[in-house]
Amino acid sequence: MSRVTRRTLGLVTASGAPRAIRASRAGWRDPRLWVGVAIVAVSVIAGARLMASADDTVGVSVARTDIAAGTRIDAVDLDTVQVKLSDEVLRTLIGPSTDLGKNTVFTRPVGAGELVPLAALGTSQGLVEVPLSVEPEQVPPGVRAGAVVDVYVLQKGERTSISAEPALASASVVAAPDPADALVATGKRQLVVAVPESDARAYLATVGAADQAVVTVVRRQ
């Protein structure tokens, strides 16, 4: 058998003992070093951009509950949510810093959870609040603030005809106390609706002309 030497294998000494292999340090010219640096840099930049985009939101106002047309705008009716929308859309919405006058009202109903558009606001000029005193059984159970109703005025015992016109059409309910809080003296339920002033005058004249008026509320879906 021939003797194994350093020259034949390069890994074993003449005495047969394996030669120690030492790891060499990567130099600054080593491409692996620069690949690692690039990966770290990309990760840092991507993380910074992700965090910046997460904070790129704006506060806007959202209706806390259903709000009827004619209701005066009040901070208690609104919440603030953070959204990320285009500048074009944001310009159509109101936010916590929007300057609103004291006579500002909702000109159309706004549903609970809806982002409040500037187009839904206007002045209270031309709208008045009319109280209705109604027998509890003449009011649908689902009528509450924010509902839209038609109000009919009939003589007691009179039948409603198909051609009957409402005394108030598409009136917005701005207040609807709980049925349990009926007026003690009369046992009737009160509703408050917002209507144009001319409609309010016509309604009051109709009720005043009836000897025994029966007011019936019909809720619009």
Side-chain angles (χ1 to χ4, degrees), residues 67-71 105-111 114-117 119-122 172:
I67 302 174
T71 304
V105 299
F106 291 89
T107 56
R108 70 162 177 81
V110 176
E114 181 180 350
L115 300 180
V116 182
L121 304 180
S172 297

Side-chain angles (χ1 to χ4, degrees), residues 28 30-45:
W28 64 272
D30 192 328
R32 292 175 297 177
L33 174 64
W34 294 109
V35 170
V37 171
I39 292 174
V40 173
V42 170
S43 299
V44 171
I45 294 173

Side-chain angles (χ1 to χ4, degrees), residues 151-175:
V151 181
Y152 292 83
V153 178
L154 306 172
Q155 289 283 0
K156 190 172 184 179
E158 180 183 359
R159 293 184 178 181
T160 304
S161 64
I162 297 176
S163 61
E165 294 294 332
L168 292 174
S170 300
S172 297
V173 179
V174 297

Side-chain angles (χ1 to χ4, degrees), residues 120-200:
L121 304 180
T123 63
S124 59
Q125 295 178 353
L127 289 178
V128 296
E129 295 182 357
V130 179
L132 308 178
S133 182
V134 191
E135 297 287 348
E137 64 271 15
Q138 298 296 326
V139 183
V143 171
R144 61 182 185 275
V148 178
V149 299
D150 290 337
V151 181
Y152 292 83
V153 178
L154 306 172
Q155 289 283 0
K156 190 172 184 179
E158 180 183 359
R159 293 184 178 181
T160 304
S161 64
I162 297 176
S163 61
E165 294 294 332
L168 292 174
S170 300
S172 297
V173 179
V174 297
D178 191 275
D181 299 329
L183 303 179
V184 177
T186 63
K188 293 186 177 182
R189 183 181 176 187
Q190 185 190 55
L191 299 177
V192 180
V193 297
V195 295
E197 187 173 355
S198 58
D199 291 353

Side-chain angles (χ1 to χ4, degrees), residues 4-21:
V4 178
T5 64
R6 181 193 302 266
R7 178 176 298 178
T8 57
L9 293 180
L11 298 177
V12 181
T13 62
S15 61
R19 188 176 64 176
I21 300 176

Side-chain angles (χ1 to χ4, degrees), residues 2-88:
S2 61
R3 183 180 180 182
V4 178
T5 64
R6 181 193 302 266
R7 178 176 298 178
T8 57
L9 293 180
L11 298 177
V12 181
T13 62
S15 61
R19 188 176 64 176
I21 300 176
R22 294 182 176 83
S24 59
R25 293 184 178 181
W28 64 272
R29 294 183 179 178
D30 192 328
R32 292 175 297 177
L33 174 64
W34 294 109
V35 170
V37 171
I39 292 174
V40 173
V42 170
S43 299
V44 171
I45 294 173
R49 289 185 176 179
L50 181 62
M51 294 181 64
S53 63
D55 294 335
D56 190 17
T57 57
V58 178
V60 297
S61 296
V62 60
R64 183 172 297 172
T65 59
D66 291 338
I67 302 174
T71 304
R72 291 183 183 275
I73 191 167
D74 193 316
V76 300
D77 297 324
L78 305 174
D79 282 328
T80 300
V81 296
Q82 297 295 320
V83 297
K84 187 175 182 180
L85 299 170
S86 66
D87 291 341
E88 182 179 358

